Amino acid sequence: MHNHGGGGAGDIVQAGGERVVPHSGPLVGKRSATRKSARFADSVSAPLRAGGRGNHHQGDDDDNDYVEVTLDVRDDSVAVHSVKPAAGGEEDPDVTLLARALETRSSSYAGRGTHGGGVLRNASTRIKQVSQELRKIASVKRRPSRIDRSKSAAAHALKGLKFISKPDGWPAVEKRFDELAENGGLLHRSKFGKCIGMKELAFAGELFDALARRRDISGDSISKAELLEFWDQISDTSFDSRLQTFFDMVDKDADGRITEAEVGQIIGLSAAANDLKKITERTEEYARLIMEELDPDNLGYIELSNLETLLLQAPPTQPTRGGSGTTSSRNLSQMLSQHLKPTTEPNPLRRWYRRASYFLEDNWRRCWVIILWFSICAGLFAWKFVQYRRRAVFEVMGYCVCVAKGGAETLKFNMALVLLPVCRNTITWLRNRTAAGRVVPFDDNLNFHKVIAAGITVGAGMHIISHLACDFPRLLHATEEEYEPMKPFFGDVKPPNYWWFVKGTEGWTGLVMLALMAVAFTLATPWFRRGRVRLPGPLSRLTGFNAFWYTHHLFIIVYALLIVHGHFLYLTKKWQKKSTWMYLAAPMVMYACERLARALRSSVRPVKILKVAVYPGNVLSLRFSKPQGFRCKSGQYIFVNCAAVSPFQWHPFSITSAPHDDYISVHIRTLGDWTRELKSVFEKVCRPPTDGKSGLLRAEYAGDGGAAMPSPSSFPTVLIDGPYGAPAQDYKQYDVVLLVGLGIGATPMISIIKDIINNMKRLDGDIESGSPGDRSVSAASFRTRRAYFYWVTREEGSFDWFRGVMDEVAESDKKGIIELHNYCTSVYEEGDARSALIAMLQSLNHAKHGVDVVSGTRVKTHFARPNWRKVYKDIALKHAGQRVGVFYCGAPVLIKELRQLAQDFSRKTSTKFEFHKENF
């Protein structure tokens, strides 16, 4: 497709030298009537040899590799069309990647006219750009690298080193300069970070010093013109410019060489900017590691070229298992991306129908339960409304009494029903032993509990308002003739005043119930329960979990008053028509049995504390002995009680041990008052760990009588109750599972991971010993053959919680069943200058020692946050036509996004994602 005329115009550039020689020859572009452009081919000399600098001889020309650069010349622009090896040359992967990058880059230069001179100048500029990139490749190839690279230096260079994640632009920087400048329009070094939009002030200070050294600026203040120069260099998209700036930050004495001490300083600075305390404590060790890699000749320093070699290394890519090749996978990925682009249905009826059908498809179990509940409430209300519409009392009180009695009937029903969703033993038995879980959403038991509470509020409001604001005033104002039918209910004498209704048993019991329920309902809202509301002085004790827990147990008084209130009725005298106790009898007995079974089980099956550890991030780990007959599933939870904190409170925590472990473990994060006191109680019996064990504080009990500290009697007494069912326990129903844990929400996922490894071992048998697989674990009961675990946390110390599990999976998972992805969100994303040295260090340390510098495990940590759409897309490509169970545990911030992605990919691909969340 090249239009070769009589020649071309270009530059011949030798990568090893500095001289640019213009190419002589006629430029004749064959023009078309419809497209005013011309393409010409010209060879650019780019020797890619392995010799050192200054060793280029004329005799080496035979070894030079040439490339053919094709430019697309228009009237006012010149763009790179292709870069490929010249005839007879071997294809170089670096050149190929460079070609793709330059071909797709929008790089046109406005000409100063339509004459040939402007086009020639633009063509010369474009060829210079290509030659500079080729020179960079050549320089990298000359330097030996001991690191295996999967991407070219050119392609990785195009990503660049960003100093600011999302630059605001010069106008915004200039505006902040005007606000921060002082002393005659000068900006001080301490305010430089705030001015350019960089939060890490220490890192910004070092950047200021580097830019000032480059321009021989002395002092700690700069003018607006100098700030503009700084900004131009910071925001320059050229990798060479950013690399030079980064080098200047490290090279503090500006001698062109980086010593080990300077490397250590910049490592500490980068670690502080990314909140990585462990790396800060080992800067000298990591500085030696980098020097060993980049200074093999022990010169005592490294240069810019050495730093560039390491910065251009790309992270290794994991091979795709079960795929049909890279090309086909890429094509499928592109097709999938196109298919998933949202399209708007122009017809509003069809759009509404599609949304409704999608909603019912995802929520049909919730829908039928809510519809059934609402229908029962509406039926009871209508029944009582019609019944009192036909009674004599209607002539005096009117429709008010119908509304009051209808609301009272729904209130009695909901007061009975609200106890059932919190009967956890019953729910666990139903979901484990029956098929009811296929049609009843047991995972939403607490949400249904809240819905019923809202129904109680509506019923109580209709009943109380109708009586107090309508019924009683109308009765007081009734004439003697109108009051005559009311004598059997209110006595022969008409009530004298409003106080007569309030002081009666029916009145004061109703008002006390109203007050207690108002307090319990208010303190159960998330604002009070999670301590988000700040109250002054003594009122601050009304917030937090303790206030919620104690006030919620006022229900005992409320139910007692409700039974009394339902017995002393104004308008119903026959006992068989007083139905309050009929509604409440069965649910109250069931709930009482639940609480009794809980108390007996926890006291009859005592546990002994085996190990206590306090980890960074305010996490307390407890390991108990397993009671006799205790059986659990991965993903389930238990209730924990510690009498030293509160003899009455029981709190749920996910089990982190596997079902086949001979112990039970939980990890508890101090998020509230009860957990804070629990951690404080156990810290008193712990001490700093020894022998390199993890944790800030630690205590273990050795039952064999060996050296143990402390004795079991010194541990606080702890009772457990459970296990109870949770959404994650159903993971075995899926061939593929996606496990997502946010912070401490990783606890149920850790149990699942350990269970998957144990089950695969039992299925395959012990290969080393030659024992057959465990027949108790069948392929039908355990279907999971692939698991993806994504753990997202902000603190590097969080990885200490499950370091042993991560290392065990990395060592024992020979078949690659589980993919572990740890994300530390405090570290800036790849390509950011603030994390560039951390990424270098991570790759070096993992390659040499097999340990990640961030997590301290064998699992390499990713930086920033996951791209969840890409995660779903990759799984959809690898597991077409399969069901994928998505299990999430953590704060609600990710629920909406993960659920929506599961729905989108399920509808538009052959992979079906089923989303489950843990109520946190």
Side-chain angles (χ1 to χ4, degrees):
M1 297 298 294
H2 304 328
N3 295 327
H4 296 289
D11 297 331
I12 297 178
V13 183
Q14 188 171 2
E18 300 295 334
R19 188 169 59 94
V20 179
V21 182
H23 175 74
S24 60
L27 172 63
V28 179
K30 182 178 180 180
R31 302 198 175 194
S32 171
T34 59
R35 184 180 180 187
K36 295 182 179 181
S37 65
R39 291 179 182 171
F40 62 91
D42 191 22
S43 296
V44 179
S45 174
L48 306 177
R49 49 182 181 262
R53 290 187 176 181
N55 295 327
H56 298 166
H57 305 283
Q58 295 294 331
D60 293 338
D61 291 343
D62 296 338
D63 298 329
N64 292 352
D65 297 330
Y66 293 89
V67 297
E68 181 179 298
V69 181
T70 303
L71 302 180
D72 191 352
V73 182
R74 299 175 184 266
D75 287 343
D76 57 351
S77 65
V78 179
V80 177
H81 175 65
S82 65
V83 181
K84 63 182 181 179
E90 296 182 358
E91 183 174 359
D92 190 286
D94 291 338
V95 175
T96 302
L97 283 174
L98 172 62
R100 292 176 183 172
L102 291 174
E103 289 167 17
T104 57
R105 184 190 302 176
S106 174
S107 52
S108 60
Y109 295 86
R112 296 182 179 178
T114 58
H115 301 290
V119 174
L120 288 175
R121 281 191 294 271
N122 288 339
S124 176
T125 302
R126 300 301 289 133
I127 293 180
K128 286 180 181 179
Q129 179 185 6
V130 177
S131 65
Q132 289 173 359
E133 297 287 354
L134 290 170
R135 186 183 300 117
K136 190 181 302 179
I137 296 175
S139 65
V140 172
K141 286 181 175 289
R142 285 196 302 269
R143 293 189 293 270
S145 176
R146 291 182 288 172
I147 303 176
D148 183 25
R149 294 184 295 165
S150 58
K151 289 186 179 180
S152 71
H156 210 52
L158 294 174
K159 279 190 172 183
L161 283 165
K162 296 180 296 184
F163 287 92
I164 301 177
S165 302
K166 297 180 180 179
D168 298 328
W170 170 248
V173 176
E174 185 180 20
K175 181 179 179 181
R176 287 195 290 266
F177 176 89
D178 295 336
E179 296 173 355
L180 299 173
E182 54 187 18
N183 298 330
L186 296 179
L187 179 71
H188 193 265
R189 177 181 182 273
S190 60
K191 300 179 180 179
F192 177 69
K194 186 177 181 180
C195 184
I196 65 174
M198 182 178 290
K199 298 179 181 179
E200 298 73 18
L201 299 182
F203 193 91
E206 293 296 332
L207 179 60
F208 178 94
D209 295 340
L211 297 171
R213 284 195 300 268
R214 169 65 60 176
R215 292 162 178 78
D216 295 328
I217 298 176
S218 59
D220 293 334
S221 299
I222 56 174
S223 63
K224 181 182 291 188
E226 292 169 332
L227 176 64
L228 178 58
E229 291 185 23
F230 284 16
W231 179 254
D232 288 340
Q233 184 168 345
I234 293 172
S235 58
D236 192 345
T237 57
S238 168
F239 177 77
D240 290 333
S241 175
R242 293 176 176 178
L243 178 63
Q244 184 64 59
T245 303
F246 187 78
F247 184 86
D248 292 341
M249 288 184 64
V250 186
D251 183 22
K252 296 189 175 183
D253 54 5
D255 62 352
R257 299 174 177 180
I258 303 176
T259 63
E260 183 176 323
E262 291 173 330
V263 171
Q265 291 177 10
I266 200 65
I267 289 177
L269 189 66
S270 299
N274 293 278
D275 197 20
L276 300 176
K277 298 179 181 179
K278 292 183 180 179
I279 295 180
T280 306
E281 297 170 356
R282 304 175 62 181
T283 54
E284 295 182 1
E285 175 187 345
Y286 291 143
R288 286 195 300 270
L289 178 64
I290 291 179
M291 295 299 292
E292 289 174 5
E293 176 66 25
L294 301 182
D295 182 27
D297 299 329
N298 295 323
L299 299 177
Y301 61 86
I302 58 176
E303 297 180 342
L304 176 64
S305 58
N306 305 116
L307 186 63
E308 179 184 7
T309 301
L310 192 57
L311 281 172
L312 292 180
Q313 310 309 314
T317 57
Q318 297 292 335
T320 303
R321 297 183 177 89
S324 57
T326 307
T327 305
S328 61
S329 177
R330 187 184 299 113
N331 293 337
L332 285 172
S333 178
Q334 293 174 353
M335 292 172 60
L336 185 59
S337 298
Q338 293 290 333
H339 189 55
L340 286 172
K341 289 183 178 179
T343 56
T344 303
E345 172 63 49
N347 190 322
L349 293 178
R350 290 181 179 178
R351 186 165 61 246
W352 179 88
Y353 174 77
R354 178 183 296 178
R355 291 176 180 175
S357 61
Y358 285 160
F359 178 81
L360 290 176
E361 180 183 351
D362 297 327
N363 300 280
W364 66 270
R365 295 191 302 172
R366 298 184 181 96
C367 288
W368 83 261
V369 171
I370 293 297
I371 291 174
L372 177 62
W373 169 76
F374 185 80
S375 300
I376 293 174
C377 292
L380 291 173
F381 180 87
W383 171 53
K384 279 295 178 181
F385 188 95
V386 173
Q387 185 183 85
Y388 275 82
R389 173 67 178 80
R390 297 172 180 173
R391 293 183 62 173
V393 71
F394 178 78
E395 302 299 331
V396 178
M397 297 183 178
Y399 285 103
C400 297
V401 70
C402 299
V403 173
K405 289 301 180 178
E409 203 67 19
T410 63
L411 175 63
K412 290 185 285 187
F413 169 71
N414 285 321
M415 287 294 288
L417 188 63
V418 76
L419 295 175
L420 299 184
V422 291
C423 292
R424 294 184 175 88
N425 286 302
T426 304
I427 292 177
T428 302
W429 183 86
L430 288 173
R431 68 181 299 161
N432 291 342
R433 303 295 181 87
T434 68
R438 299 177 182 177
V439 293
V440 179
F442 289 121
D443 296 339
D444 293 322
N445 61 322
L446 292 183
N447 290 331
F448 189 47
H449 178 77
K450 297 173 185 177
V451 170
I452 299 171
I456 292 174
T457 304
V458 173
M462 289 191 298
H463 181 73
I464 295 171
I465 294 174
S466 296
H467 272 329
L468 297 180
C470 185
D471 290 340
F472 298 160
R474 293 188 66 168
L475 186 63
L476 290 174
H477 293 87
T479 63
E480 292 295 333
E481 183 179 357
E482 291 174 337
Y483 182 75
E484 187 65 26
M486 299 292 101
K487 289 182 178 180
F489 308 112
F490 296 95
D492 296 336
V493 180
K494 188 175 66 171
N497 50 41
Y498 202 86
W499 177 248
W500 185 90
F501 295 101
V502 175
K503 69 178 183 180
T505 304
E506 302 88 339
W508 72 262
T509 54
L511 293 177
V512 171
M513 280 192 295
L514 174 64
L516 296 179
M517 292 170 65
V519 171
F521 282 29
T522 302
L523 298 185
T525 57
W527 301 279
F528 285 89
R529 181 164 54 89
R530 295 184 180 275
R532 297 173 185 171
V533 177
R534 302 298 179 186
L535 298 178
L539 295 179
S540 61
R541 299 181 65 88
L542 295 178
T543 63
F545 188 87
N546 280 344
F548 156 75
W549 193 89
Y550 285 112
T551 56
H552 226 60
H553 281 73
L554 294 174
F555 79 94
I556 301 175
I557 302 174
V558 171
Y559 276 94
L561 293 174
L562 181 60
I563 294 174
V564 174
H565 183 83
H567 180 73
F568 294 92
L569 297 177
Y570 291 121
L571 303 176
T572 303
K573 300 303 181 181
K574 296 180 180 180
W575 70 270
Q576 63 269 26
K577 292 186 177 182
K578 298 177 180 179
S579 57
T580 303
W581 67 272
M582 301 178 187
Y583 279 103
L584 300 179
M588 290 183 66
V589 170
M590 183 181 295
Y591 185 78
C593 291
E594 283 267 341
R595 299 300 295 260
L596 182 62
R598 211 170 180 185
L600 292 176
R601 183 166 50 190
S602 60
S603 60
V604 171
R605 298 192 302 181
V607 295
K608 181 168 59 180
I609 298 178
L610 303 178
K611 185 176 74 173
V612 179
V614 179
Y615 291 106
N618 290 323
V619 170
L620 172 68
S621 172
L622 300 177
R623 178 177 294 187
F624 315 106
S625 61
K626 181 177 287 188
Q628 186 175 2
F630 184 92
R631 295 180 180 179
C632 68
K633 295 181 179 181
S634 290
Q636 292 185 330
Y637 64 94
I638 60 175
F639 279 85
V640 177
N641 170 273
C642 181
V645 179
S646 172
F648 306 109
Q649 293 189 41
W650 293 79
H651 292 260
F653 299 100
S654 297
I655 301 173
T656 54
S657 54
H660 297 291
D661 291 339
D662 57 357
Y663 60 87
I664 305 171
S665 64
V666 294
H667 287 69
I668 303 171
R669 187 163 194 175
T670 55
L671 296 175
D673 37 20
W674 186 87
T675 52
R676 193 178 301 112
E677 293 179 23
L678 182 71
K679 175 175 173 284
S680 176
V681 166
F682 277 97
E683 281 180 337
K684 298 176 182 179
V685 297
C686 295
R687 61 187 69 177
T690 57
D691 302 329
K693 293 183 178 180
S694 61
L696 301 176
L697 298 171
R698 197 178 182 94
E700 294 185 61
Y701 167 66
D704 55 0
M709 56 100 181
S711 64
S713 59
S714 61
F715 284 120
T717 302
V718 172
L719 303 177
I720 65 171
D721 174 53
Y724 293 101
Q729 74 177 58
D730 298 327
Y731 83 94
K732 293 183 180 180
Q733 300 176 5
Y734 300 93
D735 298 326
V736 182
V737 293
L738 170 60
L739 310 173
V740 182
L742 189 61
I744 196 63
T747 48
M749 312 308 171
I750 291 297
S751 177
I752 291 175
I753 288 174
K754 295 173 68 175
D755 192 36
I756 292 175
I757 292 296
N758 291 340
N759 276 283
M760 295 307 299
K761 289 179 179 179
R762 292 159 68 89
L763 279 172
D764 298 338
D766 190 345
I767 299 177
E768 296 182 0
S769 62
S771 61
D774 190 344
R775 296 182 179 179
S776 64
V777 182
S778 63
S781 63
F782 182 76
R783 298 174 52 183
T784 307
R785 294 296 179 270
R786 199 80 165 96
Y788 300 88
F789 175 51
Y790 285 80
W791 185 14
V792 184
T793 181
R794 176 166 180 78
E795 303 169 348
E796 61 168 344
S798 304
F799 297 113
D800 285 346
W801 306 345
F802 309 113
R803 182 192 301 176
V805 178
M806 299 292 176
D807 290 339
E808 180 185 357
V809 172
E811 293 175 3
S812 61
D813 186 18
K814 305 299 182 183
K815 296 183 177 180
I817 299 168
I818 302 175
E819 280 192 14
L820 302 177
H821 300 271
N822 295 339
Y823 280 82
C824 186
T825 59
S826 68
V827 185
Y828 286 92
E829 62 184 350
E830 180 187 357
D832 196 294
R834 287 161 288 189
S835 62
L837 206 63
I838 303 299
M840 284 194 322
L841 184 59
Q842 183 188 47
S843 298
L844 284 176
N845 197 72
H846 200 274
K848 185 171 184 179
H849 303 294
V851 177
D852 182 65
V853 295
V854 177
S855 65
T857 69
R858 298 181 182 273
V859 181
K860 207 169 182 180
T861 302
H862 304 278
F863 300 159
R865 292 173 172 81
N867 182 343
W868 293 114
R869 177 167 288 273
K870 184 177 183 302
V871 171
Y872 273 81
K873 185 175 70 173
D874 292 342
I875 295 176
L877 289 171
K878 295 178 183 178
H879 305 283
Q882 292 182 279
R883 289 172 63 242
V884 179
V886 183
F887 297 91
Y888 172 75
C889 183
V893 63
L894 279 179
I895 292 177
K896 182 178 180 180
E897 181 181 2
L898 295 178
R899 179 190 283 121
Q900 187 62 48
L901 287 172
Q903 294 171 356
D904 291 345
F905 279 85
S906 296
R907 293 162 186 163
K908 299 183 179 181
T909 68
S910 61
T911 307
K912 302 305 176 185
F913 293 87
E914 298 181 10
F915 180 75
H916 308 269
K917 68 178 179 68
E918 185 87 21
N919 289 314
F920 206 59

